[in-house]
Amino acid sequence: MAVAMVTGASRGLGRALAGELAARGWDLVLGARGERALEETARAARAAGVRVRAVAGDVSSQAHRAALVAAARELGGLDLLVNNAGVLGAEPLVPLAVHPLDGLREAFEVNVVGPLGLLQETLPLLRAAEAGAVLNISSDAAVVAYETWGAYGATKAAGDLMSAVLAVEEPGLRVWWADPGSMRTRMMAAAEPEEDLAGLPSPEEVAPVLLRLVAEWLPGGRYTAGGLAAAGGAGAVR
């Protein structure tokens, strides 16, 4: 049975992706900071009849990353790494002129350094898989200059570039970096608390769209959820 690792799986898109993968028969290694919420995600996934290992911790911690890899080995390997965990760096978001530098450092540690570290540690398992793949969750803030989104967007732009380079350096893997678009999540509410999120899709609506990348084994590249939905799964958006 295929094994997927999902970070930031305690809520939002990570939880929705975990649930969707479990429904499709994937065994799971789940990571997140919030132990209680993470266990709720794991319990729901186990109800689908799959094996689940839940490992609470921060992806910026090497010890946590090692524990995730050990859990994957217990399940027999790793076929898909989903780097979803992320932080804003400031809540609510603020202009670059007043953005706290400590928050920027934390955002780069969690959004860039942690995912790269996890990738490095999972590469032997992904290379050994029959069809190893990496899905890095991006943002339109990586490519559009939205006011107050500069610091967070910088981390996502860095993630996009690393994903593109990884695709070149690891041709045996399928590498996707995907922008889910704005969603009705706690993170979005924290970013812009004055915004009305009622009209935005839920993570549960977006997760199946993103997982078309895996189900249809689309070419590596940058995608958007909107583009995937409109194009029926065809066409990377560079």
Side-chain angles (χ1 to χ4, degrees), residues 139-169:
S139 167
D140 55 350
V143 295
V144 180
Y146 294 123
E147 187 176 358
T148 73
W149 287 84
Y152 175 80
T155 69
K156 289 302 183 178
D160 278 11
L161 181 57
M162 288 201 305
S163 299
V165 173
L166 177 66
V168 174
E169 294 178 343

Side-chain angles (χ1 to χ4, degrees), residues 108-144:
F108 268 96
E109 283 290 336
V110 174
N111 301 355
V112 182
V113 179
L116 177 58
L118 188 56
L119 170 71
Q120 290 174 342
E121 295 180 49
T122 57
L123 265 178
L125 296 178
L126 292 168
R127 288 168 175 161
E130 184 176 344
V134 179
L135 171 55
N136 291 325
I137 301 303
S138 183
S139 167
D140 55 350
V143 295
V144 180

Side-chain angles (χ1 to χ4, degrees), residues 7-128:
T7 64
S10 62
R11 56 186 173 93
L13 182 61
R15 181 168 187 162
L17 288 168
E20 189 70 23
L21 286 164
R24 300 179 187 199
W26 286 72
D27 290 332
L28 298 172
V29 177
L30 305 177
R33 289 175 170 179
E35 185 172 5
R36 180 176 299 178
L38 179 63
E39 188 50 47
E40 292 175 0
T41 302
R43 189 179 306 115
R46 291 187 185 105
V50 300
R51 298 178 298 166
V52 181
R53 299 289 185 273
V55 185
D58 193 319
V59 73
S60 65
S61 161
Q62 195 281 328
H64 175 61
R65 297 194 299 267
L68 290 171
V69 175
R73 292 186 185 280
E74 289 178 8
L75 294 180
L78 186 65
D79 302 274
L80 172 65
L81 170 62
V82 182
N83 278 315
N84 167 75
V87 298
L88 291 168
E91 296 183 8
L93 295 177
V94 295
L96 289 172
V98 294
H99 197 287
L101 296 185
D102 285 345
L104 179 62
R105 292 187 186 96
E106 180 193 19
F108 268 96
E109 283 290 336
V110 174
N111 301 355
V112 182
V113 179
L116 177 58
L118 188 56
L119 170 71
Q120 290 174 342
E121 295 180 49
T122 57
L123 265 178
L125 296 178
L126 292 168
R127 288 168 175 161

